[in-house]
């Protein structure tokens, strides 16, 4: 499943193998395989890949809230606490909004391994902007 009206092919989302299983303006769930392409040199899930997954989840959810107004949602700030290492399998990110305003949204994202153990917790602030003009 991909975000409505959004082609995610040839993006970081597709490169990392992220897939979405639930998407709404109130909850987004996505999975990412943990394999060599998302490993750091020590063979464990790269923290940057977790952050990319978290921001992707938050961005899709916020976009779904503002698309009817013709607006976009883009990452403004993100933080993450990496709590447990993962070497293989699949991680699942679940994002829910903390705040939904006219010009910003704040989302909380939890990333868990296949056993349901917390791998990473993140908070992402998104700016709500008009689409860029061509040129």
């Amino acid at each position: 499943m991909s975000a409505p009206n959004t082609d995610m092919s040839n993006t970081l989302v597709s490169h990392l193998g992220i897939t979405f299983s639930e998407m709404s303006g109130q909850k987004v769930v996505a999975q990412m395989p943990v394999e060599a392409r998302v490993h750091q040199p020590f063979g464990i899930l790269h923290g940057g890949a977790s952050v990319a997954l978290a921001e992707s989840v938050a961005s899709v959810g916020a976009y779904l809230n503002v698309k009817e107004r013709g607006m976009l949602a883009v990452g403004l700030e993100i933080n993450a606490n990496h709590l447990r290492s993962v070497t293989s399998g699949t991680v699942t990110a679940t994002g829910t909004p903390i705040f939904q305003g006219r010009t910003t949204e704040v989302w909380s994202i939890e990333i868990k391994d296949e056993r349901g153990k917390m791998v990473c917790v993140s908070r992402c602030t998104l700016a709500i902007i008009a689409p860029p003009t061509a040129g």
Side-chain angles (χ1 to χ4, degrees):
M1 179 185 291
S2 64
N5 305 318
T6 304
D7 180 9
M8 291 192 202
S9 61
N10 296 315
T11 67
L12 183 62
V13 169
S14 66
H15 177 72
L16 296 179
I18 297 170
T19 57
F20 293 86
S21 57
E22 183 176 341
M23 293 186 301
S24 75
Q26 296 303 308
K27 183 178 180 183
V28 176
V29 180
Q31 293 73 34
M32 182 176 67
V34 179
E35 55 195 18
R37 68 180 156 177
V38 298
H39 281 170
Q40 46 103 304
F42 304 112
I44 60 177
L45 177 61
H46 193 293
S50 294
V51 171
L53 174 60
E55 186 167 335
S56 298
V57 164
S59 294
V60 166
Y63 167 72
L64 292 173
N65 286 323
V66 301
K67 71 177 187 156
E68 296 296 321
R69 298 185 340 205
M71 303 298 274
L72 300 177
V74 296
L76 182 63
E77 187 274 339
I78 189 164
N79 67 51
N81 294 101
H82 306 290
L83 308 171
R84 175 176 279 107
S85 64
V86 180
T87 58
S88 63
T90 300
V91 291
T92 299
T94 302
T96 55
I98 297 170
F99 173 78
Q100 295 173 301
R102 187 179 60 79
T103 60
T104 59
E105 290 202 13
V106 180
W107 281 64
S108 174
I109 306 96
E110 293 184 349
I111 301 175
K112 296 182 179 179
D113 66 14
E114 292 175 333
R115 299 171 302 157
K117 299 282 189 175
M118 189 79 73
V119 172
C120 177
V121 62
S122 180
R123 186 176 64 210
C124 184
T125 303
L126 301 115
I128 307 307
I129 63 167
T133 56

